[in-house]
Amino acid sequence: MQYARVYDQQLHLLAVLDNADAGYSLKSNDLSTASVTLPTPDPKNQYMAAHNFVRIYDGDEEVGLFRIITEPGTSNAVGGWTEYTLEHVIATLVDDIMFGYHEVGGADYGTASVAEYILSQQVVQRWVLGRCDFTDEFSYKFENTDLLTALFSLGNVLTDEYLFEYDTTGYPWVVSLVRPDADPGCEIRYRRNMQEVIRTMDASALVTRLYLLGYGEGVNQLTIRDVNGGLPYLEAASAATWGVKSSVYVDGTIEDAQLLKARGEAMLSELCMPYMAYSASAIDLYRLTGQSWDNYKPGKLVHVRDDDKNIDFTARIITKTKPDIYGDPGGLELEIANRVRDLADSINRLAERQGIRELYSQGATNLYSQQFADNADATHPAVMRFYVPEGCVRINSMLLSWALQKFRAYSTAASNGGGQAVTSGGGGSGTVTADPVDESGTGLGRTSYVFSLGTSSVSSHSHQIDGPGATSTGSAGGHSHTVDDHYHTLSQIKLSSITVTLPSHTHTVTCPNHSHGITYGIYEGGQATAITLEVDGTEVPASAISGSELDVCPWLTKDSAGKITRGAWHEIRIIPDAMTRIEANLFAQCFVQSRGGGDY
């Protein structure tokens, strides 16, 4: 028989507690506890300091390694006993915090990798991952969470049965996440090792329809609608038997809808049937037989049979308790149930010890607006660009409103000056010929001319006078004629063309210095009667536009998950059918995480 041993925090052996009595309560997927009682006068009480370690044995088999969490107040007088409360050393993971925000898991990053990441956050590497039978690729998000709560949460979303196992025989200690056996591994039978079996049924917590809520608040709180056919709840097949029994499960630490659904499925599988529990008192024969069939461990399927009372069922061992290892080594109490009942409560208790729940940021709903006002026409549309940040968890609406006004122009002023001389280029030479025309415009030169002649002396000459009734005179010698003033009318005289020649020349115009005065005023022009909307390059159908407001969310570009693209710019184009002024506003309602960024 091995006695309990006490170690300091560096695992140096301090003492063998050969005068001690001990007991333990081992729990499936929960925090196991133990107790050690020493005679008050025993000098080895000095080693039972808080957070020192105690290794407990049941016969020659190690039960586990525990740490002291409570010291006695005042002990009894001489001959009294001092009792110490212990918790399993898996609780050392409560000592370390995943400070800040951590997102881990997802595609190609299975459960084992997530567990290793959690354990890597230890300040002192006491625990390492051993076996992991699960390969799920859920995305986990932790914020200011202790490592034990984070590690236990890996099992919360598993729909298959699971079991955390611990090996503290070596160092560092090893934690494994395994699938428990599907077949019974031990038995309690009447007239062999059964002392008493008490059956308890509790239907007070029966749930057949479970509504699920995760991260966020109000309309921005995460649901499973997007991954559950639009329904915010899960419903068990047992609703056909028990009816619809609704409840709500809320876990504000879950930000992924698929993860929330998986967690709900695991919860509902435990809640959809009445809680059936059996308290069994049995004789521990394992210390005598050494057979595995007689070795009761939490998580094992046990077959319970009492032919006299018509009892025959198989269920898992939830708790194994042995109150007095040394005083009553055969006394054994088992809690057997159709499901684990207290895991969530245990995790909550651990969280309360660290104040974790209050440290998890939930974010807030925000409203912001963006304005636009400018002239536009059919070829120069109004363009609004806006940015959607990565921290925008949910977008509730993007409401665009607009109004058409008359085109608007404003006064302008010209600067003084402008005086200058401008000279045209040289050239302009040429010859122009025009033919004279007669009175009828035939160009025969037929016109009348009048000549006046004064008196003059002429040399010897002769005159010939033609015309009707005219006579000729002969020539004469030197003489003179006196001719009174008279005129001649000449008809049918053809004249030659007239030619005008224009030489090369230039023109100079001088503009003196001057100024223009400012004319103040707002001048309005025309106004459009209709618009076309384009959102991220997609034209919004006219049938979708009623009035002058529209939620543009359906037309904004989406990512592969169907969500509006984050960390990107988006563009709205308002195209009028004529020159006009456009005034527009974009109102955004969204839920923003309270993490990221600096402190400015």
Side-chain angles (χ1 to χ4, degrees), residues 31-33 64-66 86-92 127 166 168:
L31 185 60
S32 299
T33 58
L65 188 64
F66 299 79
L86 296 79
E87 64 184 3
H88 193 273
V89 290
I90 191 65
T92 57
W127 288 97
Y166 316 110
T168 57

Side-chain angles (χ1 to χ4, degrees), residues 278-356:
Y278 297 85
S279 296
S281 297
I283 299 173
D284 187 4
L285 299 178
Y286 178 66
R287 295 181 66 171
L288 298 176
T289 67
Q291 299 296 317
S292 176
W293 189 253
D294 292 321
N295 189 10
Y296 305 107
K297 289 185 177 181
K300 245 184 173 184
L301 274 177
V302 59
H303 180 219
V304 181
R305 184 171 180 178
D306 184 346
D307 295 332
D308 290 350
K309 295 183 179 180
N310 198 27
I311 295 176
D312 191 347
F313 68 90
T314 299
R316 292 207 179 274
I317 298 174
I318 304 301
T319 304
K320 173 186 177 181
T321 301
K322 184 172 282 193
D324 189 351
I325 297 174
Y326 304 108
D328 183 13
L332 182 66
E333 297 176 4
L334 299 175
E335 181 183 352
I336 306 165
N338 59 347
R339 69 174 185 268
V340 177
R341 189 176 190 179
D342 297 325
L343 176 59
D345 292 337
S346 298
I347 292 176
N348 288 336
R349 288 196 302 272
L350 290 170
E352 289 169 1
R353 281 172 57 178
Q354 298 294 320
I356 296 301

